[in-house]
Amino acid sequence: MEGIDLVRKEGLEPTCLSALEPKSSASTNSATFAGRRIITEKGSPDFPEAARFPRYNPENSSPSVTLLAADHYENFPVASLLLPARMRAPIEAIYAFARGADDIADEGDLTDEERLGGLETYLRALDAIEAGHGPGGAFERIARAVREHGLPVALLRDLIDAFKQDVVKKRYATFDELLDYSRRSANPVGRLVLHVFGRSDAGSFTQSDNICSALQLINFWQDVALDWEKGRVYIPQEDLERFAVTESDIANTAVHSQWRELMAFECSRARGMLDAGAPLGRSLPGRLGLEIRATVGGGATILDEIDRVGGDVFRHRPVLKKMDWIKIIARSILKTGARPQPHEPGSDPR
């Protein structure tokens, strides 16, 4: 299983379903699946040197450069070997678009004004795509995916809107506010992937949204310390107050009974959302269903680990190792039953 060999040995980083990934703290966090890079070891035609890039690309954070995703490692494979070969290019394009914009919003030493200006470049590219014009540069890949698969540009705009929010909004008063952010930062990726696979019914979208939002929340809970270093607190203020936890507790990495109760509460909510979306992995045929089951399994494993350490994500940030993924994928395969579900007429299982 080649995909397993490329599993990233770090924590969960949702952005969602297949290319889906939210990364640490932000969106794209959008989730990806079982263990492959956005670009292979040999690079890609667009970025032949990509395999030598670090996880973070300074180039992506320059508002004057349109280079999109490079060699980001994720806990869940992007365009992994589990997916049909013909579907990898559009899924890579979706992920590259999301991760490149997310880097501008979240990484490097840019000022807020520079970050917002860089994200405007993405919006102008979407304007061109909607008008039927070539956006130029690395945006041609997402333009091709939009044309060939009828991807709703509004979903791509939602991603940019969420990333712009990350630049200026550092606290969330209520859980509903956080869900609204997840609706734009994570859920669009899942819906876009479903569009690539020709699945656009309301039920599938709802289940996908539950999975993607859950993965986004899990990402927040595992990365409380990392987000604090960036001046961000994604735990809703109403929850901090409810459990008598202060931001000073976060700053001091205090793990007392109130903190443990808070984390147990947040993990329980995320688990409920994962469970609500899980039927999607059983209703979709073939490899996509397997990818989704593996993604849900990965998220649940991270929650189990947070529970196991009593919510102490400061000293024990959850990590999914190679053996974890082997178990997760094995369980995901077994959940298909005695034989794989049939493919829709005209679909290519390869």
Side-chain angles (χ1 to χ4, degrees), residues 124-179:
R124 288 195 294 272
L126 294 179
D127 289 341
I129 292 171
E130 282 191 310
H133 305 313
F139 291 114
E140 289 296 339
R141 285 203 296 167
I142 192 63
R144 187 182 312 119
V146 168
R147 290 194 306 270
E148 294 179 358
H149 296 275
L151 303 183
V153 174
L155 292 175
L156 296 169
R157 290 188 183 279
D158 280 345
L159 289 172
I160 304 304
D161 185 59
F163 301 154
K164 290 176 71 174
Q165 179 172 309
D166 253 329
V167 175
V168 299
K169 188 175 178 66
K170 311 298 184 182
R171 301 290 188 277
Y172 289 81
T174 66
F175 186 65
D176 285 343
E177 275 192 10
L178 196 60
L179 286 181

Tab-separated table of all heavy atoms in Angstrom, residues 124-179:
chain	number	residue	atom	x	y	z
A	124	ARG	N	-9.767	38.149	-7.775
A	124	ARG	CA	-9.723	38.630	-9.161
A	124	ARG	C	-9.623	37.457	-10.138
A	124	ARG	O	-10.222	37.487	-11.224
A	124	ARG	CB	-8.540	39.589	-9.355
A	124	ARG	CG	-8.745	40.949	-8.689
A	124	ARG	CD	-7.744	41.967	-9.193
A	124	ARG	NE	-6.379	41.640	-8.801
A	124	ARG	CZ	-5.829	42.017	-7.659
A	124	ARG	NH1	-6.529	42.718	-6.773
A	124	ARG	NH2	-4.571	41.692	-7.383
A	125	ALA	N	-8.892	36.423	-9.733
A	125	ALA	CA	-8.813	35.234	-10.582
A	125	ALA	C	-10.185	34.578	-10.716
A	125	ALA	O	-10.571	34.140	-11.813
A	125	ALA	CB	-7.803	34.245	-9.999
A	126	LEU	N	-10.938	34.528	-9.625
A	126	LEU	CA	-12.292	33.956	-9.687
A	126	LEU	C	-13.210	34.810	-10.543
A	126	LEU	O	-14.074	34.291	-11.262
A	126	LEU	CB	-12.857	33.791	-8.280
A	126	LEU	CG	-12.135	32.764	-7.393
A	126	LEU	CD1	-12.781	32.712	-6.008
A	126	LEU	CD2	-12.138	31.378	-8.029
A	127	ASP	N	-13.036	36.129	-10.483
A	127	ASP	CA	-13.816	37.016	-11.352
A	127	ASP	C	-13.559	36.666	-12.820
A	127	ASP	O	-14.498	36.589	-13.632
A	127	ASP	CB	-13.435	38.480	-11.113
A	127	ASP	CG	-13.928	39.009	-9.773
A	127	ASP	OD1	-14.852	38.395	-9.196
A	127	ASP	OD2	-13.386	40.033	-9.311
A	128	ALA	N	-12.284	36.458	-13.159
A	128	ALA	CA	-11.934	36.139	-14.536
A	128	ALA	C	-12.528	34.800	-14.956
A	128	ALA	O	-13.049	34.652	-16.063
A	128	ALA	CB	-10.410	36.114	-14.686
A	129	ILE	N	-12.452	33.822	-14.061
A	129	ILE	CA	-12.998	32.503	-14.377
A	129	ILE	C	-14.499	32.581	-14.627
A	129	ILE	O	-15.026	31.998	-15.580
A	129	ILE	CB	-12.691	31.518	-13.230
A	129	ILE	CG1	-11.187	31.235	-13.167
A	129	ILE	CG2	-13.472	30.215	-13.398
A	129	ILE	CD1	-10.744	30.460	-11.941
A	130	GLU	N	-15.210	33.314	-13.770
A	130	GLU	CA	-16.660	33.447	-13.945
A	130	GLU	C	-17.009	34.169	-15.234
A	130	GLU	O	-18.046	33.899	-15.852
A	130	GLU	CB	-17.259	34.195	-12.753
A	130	GLU	CG	-17.426	33.327	-11.518
A	130	GLU	CD	-18.261	34.000	-10.457
A	130	GLU	OE1	-17.980	35.172	-10.115
A	130	GLU	OE2	-19.201	33.352	-9.943
A	131	ALA	N	-16.143	35.089	-15.664
A	131	ALA	CA	-16.396	35.839	-16.897
A	131	ALA	C	-15.969	35.069	-18.141
A	131	ALA	O	-16.137	35.545	-19.263
A	131	ALA	CB	-15.663	37.182	-16.839
A	132	GLY	N	-15.415	33.874	-17.935
A	132	GLY	CA	-14.996	33.065	-19.064
A	132	GLY	C	-13.624	33.418	-19.588
A	132	GLY	O	-13.251	32.994	-20.692
A	133	HIS	N	-12.852	34.178	-18.828
A	133	HIS	CA	-11.511	34.570	-19.239
A	133	HIS	C	-10.470	33.686	-18.556
A	133	HIS	O	-10.720	33.103	-17.494
A	133	HIS	CB	-11.234	36.035	-18.895
A	133	HIS	CG	-12.243	36.987	-19.442
A	133	HIS	ND1	-12.691	36.936	-20.748
A	133	HIS	CD2	-12.908	38.029	-18.857
A	133	HIS	CE1	-13.579	37.893	-20.954
A	133	HIS	NE2	-13.732	38.567	-19.811
A	134	GLY	N	-9.283	33.633	-19.139
A	134	GLY	CA	-8.208	32.890	-18.511
A	134	GLY	C	-7.621	33.682	-17.352
A	134	GLY	O	-7.242	34.837	-17.532
A	135	PRO	N	-7.534	33.091	-16.176
A	135	PRO	CA	-7.014	33.827	-15.021
A	135	PRO	C	-5.502	33.961	-15.023
A	135	PRO	O	-4.938	34.782	-14.319
A	135	PRO	CB	-7.479	32.992	-13.828
A	135	PRO	CG	-7.522	31.601	-14.375
A	135	PRO	CD	-7.969	31.736	-15.810
A	136	GLY	N	-4.836	33.132	-15.820
A	136	GLY	CA	-3.396	33.211	-15.923
A	136	GLY	C	-2.663	32.492	-14.818
A	136	GLY	O	-3.218	32.203	-13.745
A	137	GLY	N	-1.395	32.195	-15.070
A	137	GLY	CA	-0.523	31.610	-14.061
A	137	GLY	C	-1.036	30.296	-13.503
A	137	GLY	O	-1.708	29.517	-14.179
A	138	ALA	N	-0.734	30.071	-12.234
A	138	ALA	CA	-1.109	28.816	-11.590
A	138	ALA	C	-2.613	28.676	-11.415
A	138	ALA	O	-3.090	27.587	-11.088
A	138	ALA	CB	-0.419	28.704	-10.231
A	139	PHE	N	-3.371	29.750	-11.606
A	139	PHE	CA	-4.824	29.667	-11.469
A	139	PHE	C	-5.472	28.899	-12.622
A	139	PHE	O	-6.666	28.595	-12.577
A	139	PHE	CB	-5.436	31.070	-11.392
A	139	PHE	CG	-5.109	31.801	-10.119
A	139	PHE	CD1	-4.320	32.930	-10.135
A	139	PHE	CD2	-5.593	31.355	-8.901
A	139	PHE	CE1	-4.007	33.611	-8.966
A	139	PHE	CE2	-5.288	32.019	-7.723
A	139	PHE	CZ	-4.494	33.149	-7.761
A	140	GLU	N	-4.695	28.597	-13.666
A	140	GLU	CA	-5.265	27.871	-14.791
A	140	GLU	C	-5.736	26.480	-14.378
A	140	GLU	O	-6.682	25.947	-14.950
A	140	GLU	CB	-4.247	27.767	-15.933
A	140	GLU	CG	-3.969	29.084	-16.647
A	140	GLU	CD	-5.198	29.652	-17.357
A	140	GLU	OE1	-6.132	28.861	-17.647
A	140	GLU	OE2	-5.218	30.872	-17.606
A	141	ARG	N	-5.093	25.904	-13.388
A	141	ARG	CA	-5.511	24.553	-12.970
A	141	ARG	C	-6.904	24.576	-12.350
A	141	ARG	O	-7.734	23.724	-12.647
A	141	ARG	CB	-4.507	23.973	-11.979
A	141	ARG	CG	-3.224	23.511	-12.629
A	141	ARG	CD	-2.529	22.469	-11.765
A	141	ARG	NE	-2.106	23.021	-10.490
A	141	ARG	CZ	-1.703	22.279	-9.469
A	141	ARG	NH1	-1.705	20.959	-9.558
A	141	ARG	NH2	-1.302	22.843	-8.331
A	142	ILE	N	-7.166	25.546	-11.490
A	142	ILE	CA	-8.497	25.592	-10.888
A	142	ILE	C	-9.523	26.016	-11.920
A	142	ILE	O	-10.672	25.558	-11.891
A	142	ILE	CB	-8.515	26.533	-9.652
A	142	ILE	CG1	-9.827	26.339	-8.872
A	142	ILE	CG2	-8.335	27.979	-10.052
A	142	ILE	CD1	-10.038	24.976	-8.290
A	143	ALA	N	-9.121	26.869	-12.875
A	143	ALA	CA	-10.045	27.272	-13.947
A	143	ALA	C	-10.446	26.054	-14.767
A	143	ALA	O	-11.623	25.888	-15.140
A	143	ALA	CB	-9.388	28.329	-14.832
A	144	ARG	N	-9.492	25.184	-15.053
A	144	ARG	CA	-9.791	23.974	-15.826
A	144	ARG	C	-10.737	23.067	-15.043
A	144	ARG	O	-11.688	22.502	-15.608
A	144	ARG	CB	-8.490	23.234	-16.140
A	144	ARG	CG	-8.671	22.045	-17.085
A	144	ARG	CD	-7.341	21.319	-17.319
A	144	ARG	NE	-6.300	22.274	-17.649
A	144	ARG	CZ	-5.194	22.451	-16.926
A	144	ARG	NH1	-4.999	21.718	-15.831
A	144	ARG	NH2	-4.286	23.322	-17.287
A	145	ALA	N	-10.511	22.947	-13.757
A	145	ALA	CA	-11.383	22.102	-12.940
A	145	ALA	C	-12.803	22.655	-12.906
A	145	ALA	O	-13.777	21.900	-12.959
A	145	ALA	CB	-10.822	22.001	-11.527
A	146	VAL	N	-12.931	23.982	-12.819
A	146	VAL	CA	-14.256	24.604	-12.819
A	146	VAL	C	-14.968	24.312	-14.134
A	146	VAL	O	-16.152	23.946	-14.152
A	146	VAL	CB	-14.131	26.124	-12.589
A	146	VAL	CG1	-15.470	26.819	-12.870
A	146	VAL	CG2	-13.679	26.413	-11.166
A	147	ARG	N	-14.243	24.472	-15.250
A	147	ARG	CA	-14.850	24.245	-16.558
A	147	ARG	C	-15.258	22.787	-16.751
A	147	ARG	O	-16.380	22.494	-17.188
A	147	ARG	CB	-13.874	24.650	-17.671
A	147	ARG	CG	-13.618	26.124	-17.823
A	147	ARG	CD	-12.920	26.407	-19.147
A	147	ARG	NE	-11.708	25.614	-19.327
A	147	ARG	CZ	-10.492	26.002	-18.942
A	147	ARG	NH1	-10.348	27.175	-18.329
A	147	ARG	NH2	-9.443	25.243	-19.154
A	148	GLU	N	-14.355	21.890	-16.441
A	148	GLU	CA	-14.579	20.488	-16.780
A	148	GLU	C	-15.543	19.778	-15.834
A	148	GLU	O	-16.167	18.786	-16.216
A	148	GLU	CB	-13.232	19.752	-16.799
A	148	GLU	CG	-12.311	20.239	-17.914
A	148	GLU	CD	-10.965	19.521	-17.912
A	148	GLU	OE1	-10.748	18.678	-17.006
A	148	GLU	OE2	-10.145	19.801	-18.812
A	149	HIS	N	-15.672	20.302	-14.608
A	149	HIS	CA	-16.508	19.606	-13.623
A	149	HIS	C	-17.653	20.462	-13.099
A	149	HIS	O	-18.367	20.039	-12.185
A	149	HIS	CB	-15.638	19.119	-12.460
A	149	HIS	CG	-14.620	18.104	-12.879
A	149	HIS	ND1	-14.905	16.754	-12.964
A	149	HIS	CD2	-13.323	18.248	-13.272
A	149	HIS	CE1	-13.819	16.106	-13.375
A	149	HIS	NE2	-12.855	16.977	-13.560
A	150	GLY	N	-17.827	21.631	-13.672
A	150	GLY	CA	-18.943	22.485	-13.262
A	150	GLY	C	-18.887	22.885	-11.806
A	150	GLY	O	-19.923	22.962	-11.131
A	151	LEU	N	-17.698	23.142	-11.290
A	151	LEU	CA	-17.563	23.493	-9.876
A	151	LEU	C	-18.152	24.871	-9.607
A	151	LEU	O	-17.884	25.824	-10.350
A	151	LEU	CB	-16.081	23.500	-9.468
A	151	LEU	CG	-15.303	22.207	-9.704
A	151	LEU	CD1	-13.880	22.365	-9.191
A	151	LEU	CD2	-15.987	21.024	-9.044
A	152	PRO	N	-18.956	25.010	-8.568
A	152	PRO	CA	-19.532	26.329	-8.233
A	152	PRO	C	-18.447	27.280	-7.731
A	152	PRO	O	-17.798	27.034	-6.702
A	152	PRO	CB	-20.537	26.005	-7.114
A	152	PRO	CG	-20.787	24.534	-7.216
A	152	PRO	CD	-19.494	23.949	-7.696
A	153	VAL	N	-18.258	28.375	-8.443
A	153	VAL	CA	-17.235	29.355	-8.048
A	153	VAL	C	-17.578	29.965	-6.694
A	153	VAL	O	-16.690	30.375	-5.942
A	153	VAL	CB	-17.095	30.438	-9.131
A	153	VAL	CG1	-16.145	31.558	-8.682
A	153	VAL	CG2	-16.578	29.812	-10.429
A	154	ALA	N	-18.869	30.010	-6.360
A	154	ALA	CA	-19.274	30.582	-5.066
A	154	ALA	C	-18.612	29.846	-3.903
A	154	ALA	O	-18.289	30.454	-2.875
A	154	ALA	CB	-20.792	30.530	-4.918
A	155	LEU	N	-18.393	28.537	-4.040
A	155	LEU	CA	-17.737	27.781	-2.971
A	155	LEU	C	-16.275	28.196	-2.826
A	155	LEU	O	-15.742	28.268	-1.718
A	155	LEU	CB	-17.842	26.284	-3.254
A	155	LEU	CG	-19.240	25.676	-3.167
A	155	LEU	CD1	-19.220	24.210	-3.603
A	155	LEU	CD2	-19.802	25.792	-1.753
A	156	LEU	N	-15.623	28.479	-3.936
A	156	LEU	CA	-14.240	28.953	-3.880
A	156	LEU	C	-14.184	30.344	-3.260
A	156	LEU	O	-13.252	30.661	-2.515
A	156	LEU	CB	-13.644	28.968	-5.287
A	156	LEU	CG	-13.532	27.584	-5.959
A	156	LEU	CD1	-13.185	27.737	-7.435
A	156	LEU	CD2	-12.489	26.725	-5.261
A	157	ARG	N	-15.177	31.151	-3.539
A	157	ARG	CA	-15.238	32.483	-2.922
A	157	ARG	C	-15.432	32.376	-1.416
A	157	ARG	O	-14.886	33.172	-0.644
A	157	ARG	CB	-16.373	33.307	-3.539
A	157	ARG	CG	-16.130	33.746	-4.972
A	157	ARG	CD	-17.208	34.719	-5.434
A	157	ARG	NE	-17.024	35.086	-6.820
A	157	ARG	CZ	-16.163	36.007	-7.247
A	157	ARG	NH1	-15.420	36.654	-6.363
A	157	ARG	NH2	-16.043	36.286	-8.530
A	158	ASP	N	-16.206	31.388	-0.991
A	158	ASP	CA	-16.398	31.187	0.457
A	158	ASP	C	-15.063	30.915	1.141
A	158	ASP	O	-14.806	31.404	2.247
A	158	ASP	CB	-17.357	30.018	0.706
A	158	ASP	CG	-18.818	30.404	0.534
A	158	ASP	OD1	-19.126	31.611	0.506
A	158	ASP	OD2	-19.655	29.484	0.432
A	159	LEU	N	-14.213	30.113	0.497
A	159	LEU	CA	-12.904	29.826	1.080
A	159	LEU	C	-12.095	31.104	1.276
A	159	LEU	O	-11.530	31.341	2.350
A	159	LEU	CB	-12.130	28.866	0.178
A	159	LEU	CG	-12.621	27.418	0.121
A	159	LEU	CD1	-11.877	26.650	-0.967
A	159	LEU	CD2	-12.447	26.728	1.467
A	160	ILE	N	-12.054	31.942	0.249
A	160	ILE	CA	-11.281	33.184	0.347
A	160	ILE	C	-11.877	34.099	1.411
A	160	ILE	O	-11.148	34.752	2.175
A	160	ILE	CB	-11.230	33.903	-1.010
A	160	ILE	CG1	-10.659	32.973	-2.084
A	160	ILE	CG2	-10.394	35.173	-0.898
A	160	ILE	CD1	-9.289	32.416	-1.747
A	161	ASP	N	-13.191	34.114	1.506
A	161	ASP	CA	-13.844	34.932	2.533
A	161	ASP	C	-13.437	34.474	3.929
A	161	ASP	O	-13.155	35.294	4.815
A	161	ASP	CB	-15.364	34.831	2.370
A	161	ASP	CG	-16.110	35.748	3.312
A	161	ASP	OD1	-15.889	36.977	3.249
A	161	ASP	OD2	-16.907	35.255	4.122
A	162	ALA	N	-13.352	33.165	4.134
A	162	ALA	CA	-12.937	32.641	5.445
A	162	ALA	C	-11.483	32.988	5.734
A	162	ALA	O	-11.130	33.354	6.856
A	162	ALA	CB	-13.137	31.127	5.480
A	163	PHE	N	-10.634	32.899	4.728
A	163	PHE	CA	-9.216	33.195	4.948
A	163	PHE	C	-9.022	34.681	5.257
A	163	PHE	O	-8.164	35.042	6.074
A	163	PHE	CB	-8.402	32.793	3.728
A	163	PHE	CG	-8.524	31.327	3.383
A	163	PHE	CD1	-8.334	30.897	2.087
A	163	PHE	CD2	-8.834	30.385	4.346
A	163	PHE	CE1	-8.446	29.550	1.761
A	163	PHE	CE2	-8.948	29.043	4.035
A	163	PHE	CZ	-8.759	28.621	2.728
A	164	LYS	N	-9.796	35.517	4.603
A	164	LYS	CA	-9.722	36.948	4.921
A	164	LYS	C	-10.170	37.178	6.367
A	164	LYS	O	-9.609	38.014	7.083
A	164	LYS	CB	-10.596	37.746	3.953
A	164	LYS	CG	-10.051	37.780	2.525
A	164	LYS	CD	-10.991	38.485	1.568
A	164	LYS	CE	-11.018	39.986	1.830
A	164	LYS	NZ	-11.842	40.681	0.798
A	165	GLN	N	-11.174	36.435	6.806
A	165	GLN	CA	-11.636	36.561	8.190
A	165	GLN	C	-10.538	36.166	9.164
A	165	GLN	O	-10.388	36.768	10.235
A	165	GLN	CB	-12.872	35.697	8.405
A	165	GLN	CG	-13.423	35.739	9.828
A	165	GLN	CD	-14.754	35.030	9.952
A	165	GLN	OE1	-15.675	35.298	9.184
A	165	GLN	NE2	-14.866	34.114	10.901
A	166	ASP	N	-9.748	35.137	8.810
A	166	ASP	CA	-8.665	34.712	9.685
A	166	ASP	C	-7.642	35.822	9.916
A	166	ASP	O	-6.984	35.853	10.949
A	166	ASP	CB	-7.946	33.495	9.093
A	166	ASP	CG	-8.274	32.213	9.852
A	166	ASP	OD1	-8.518	32.300	11.070
A	166	ASP	OD2	-8.297	31.151	9.237
A	167	VAL	N	-7.507	36.712	8.942
A	167	VAL	CA	-6.541	37.800	9.071
A	167	VAL	C	-6.980	38.795	10.147
A	167	VAL	O	-6.159	39.329	10.892
A	167	VAL	CB	-6.358	38.528	7.724
A	167	VAL	CG1	-5.440	39.746	7.878
A	167	VAL	CG2	-5.797	37.574	6.667
A	168	VAL	N	-8.279	39.021	10.254
A	168	VAL	CA	-8.758	40.115	11.104
A	168	VAL	C	-9.523	39.673	12.347
A	168	VAL	O	-9.708	40.460	13.272
A	168	VAL	CB	-9.661	41.068	10.269
A	168	VAL	CG1	-8.879	41.678	9.124
A	168	VAL	CG2	-10.892	40.333	9.727
A	169	LYS	N	-9.957	38.410	12.393
A	169	LYS	CA	-10.774	37.958	13.528
A	169	LYS	C	-10.010	36.919	14.330
A	169	LYS	O	-9.652	35.862	13.799
A	169	LYS	CB	-12.102	37.370	13.035
A	169	LYS	CG	-13.106	37.036	14.142
A	169	LYS	CD	-14.427	36.565	13.529
A	169	LYS	CE	-15.447	36.161	14.589
A	169	LYS	NZ	-15.878	37.312	15.412
A	170	LYS	N	-9.780	37.193	15.602
A	170	LYS	CA	-8.955	36.328	16.438
A	170	LYS	C	-9.729	35.628	17.551
A	170	LYS	O	-9.171	34.791	18.261
A	170	LYS	CB	-7.827	37.148	17.077
A	170	LYS	CG	-7.056	38.035	16.109
A	170	LYS	CD	-6.342	37.241	15.031
A	170	LYS	CE	-5.498	38.158	14.144
A	170	LYS	NZ	-4.823	37.436	13.046
A	171	ARG	N	-10.988	35.990	17.763
A	171	ARG	CA	-11.796	35.388	18.809
A	171	ARG	C	-13.205	35.112	18.271
A	171	ARG	O	-13.690	35.803	17.369
A	171	ARG	CB	-11.919	36.318	20.034
A	171	ARG	CG	-10.595	36.703	20.694
A	171	ARG	CD	-9.962	35.526	21.392
A	171	ARG	NE	-8.787	35.917	22.177
A	171	ARG	CZ	-7.569	36.070	21.680
A	171	ARG	NH1	-7.357	35.915	20.374
A	171	ARG	NH2	-6.549	36.384	22.470
A	172	TYR	N	-13.879	34.119	18.879
A	172	TYR	CA	-15.240	33.754	18.489
A	172	TYR	C	-16.110	33.733	19.736
A	172	TYR	O	-15.835	32.996	20.687
A	172	TYR	CB	-15.239	32.398	17.775
A	172	TYR	CG	-14.614	32.515	16.407
A	172	TYR	CD1	-13.229	32.509	16.259
A	172	TYR	CD2	-15.391	32.705	15.282
A	172	TYR	CE1	-12.645	32.683	15.015
A	172	TYR	CE2	-14.832	32.868	14.034
A	172	TYR	CZ	-13.447	32.863	13.906
A	172	TYR	OH	-12.876	33.047	12.666
A	173	ALA	N	-17.132	34.547	19.717
A	173	ALA	CA	-17.974	34.695	20.901
A	173	ALA	C	-18.796	33.443	21.174
A	173	ALA	O	-18.958	33.043	22.325
A	173	ALA	CB	-18.889	35.908	20.744
A	174	THR	N	-19.320	32.831	20.118
A	174	THR	CA	-20.234	31.708	20.289
A	174	THR	C	-19.836	30.540	19.387
A	174	THR	O	-19.088	30.701	18.414
A	174	THR	CB	-21.676	32.116	19.942
A	174	THR	OG1	-21.748	32.411	18.533
A	174	THR	CG2	-22.101	33.336	20.749
A	175	PHE	N	-20.380	29.392	19.693
A	175	PHE	CA	-20.160	28.215	18.857
A	175	PHE	C	-20.770	28.413	17.479
A	175	PHE	O	-20.216	27.967	16.465
A	175	PHE	CB	-20.755	26.982	19.538
A	175	PHE	CG	-20.463	25.696	18.821
A	175	PHE	CD1	-19.160	25.234	18.709
A	175	PHE	CD2	-21.487	24.931	18.278
A	175	PHE	CE1	-18.877	24.031	18.053
A	175	PHE	CE2	-21.216	23.733	17.625
A	175	PHE	CZ	-19.909	23.285	17.512
A	176	ASP	N	-21.897	29.099	17.414
A	176	ASP	CA	-22.521	29.372	16.120
A	176	ASP	C	-21.599	30.198	15.231
A	176	ASP	O	-21.533	29.979	14.013
A	176	ASP	CB	-23.858	30.093	16.310
A	176	ASP	CG	-24.962	29.170	16.801
A	176	ASP	OD1	-24.792	27.932	16.690
A	176	ASP	OD2	-25.986	29.674	17.295
A	177	GLU	N	-20.888	31.146	15.830
A	177	GLU	CA	-19.921	31.930	15.055
A	177	GLU	C	-18.835	31.035	14.488
A	177	GLU	O	-18.405	31.184	13.339
A	177	GLU	CB	-19.272	33.008	15.930
A	177	GLU	CG	-20.046	34.297	16.046
A	177	GLU	CD	-19.212	35.397	16.684
A	177	GLU	OE1	-17.986	35.214	16.855
A	177	GLU	OE2	-19.781	36.438	17.018
A	178	LEU	N	-18.375	30.094	15.290
A	178	LEU	CA	-17.323	29.185	14.844
A	178	LEU	C	-17.828	28.270	13.733
A	178	LEU	O	-17.103	27.985	12.776
A	178	LEU	CB	-16.835	28.356	16.036
A	178	LEU	CG	-15.495	27.637	15.863
A	178	LEU	CD1	-14.371	28.631	15.598
A	178	LEU	CD2	-15.181	26.792	17.090
A	179	LEU	N	-19.067	27.817	13.844
A	179	LEU	CA	-19.639	26.985	12.794
A	179	LEU	C	-19.789	27.761	11.499
A	179	LEU	O	-19.622	27.207	10.407
A	179	LEU	CB	-20.995	26.426	13.237
A	179	LEU	CG	-20.975	25.305	14.265
A	179	LEU	CD1	-22.403	24.847	14.564
A	179	LEU	CD2	-20.130	24.131	13.784
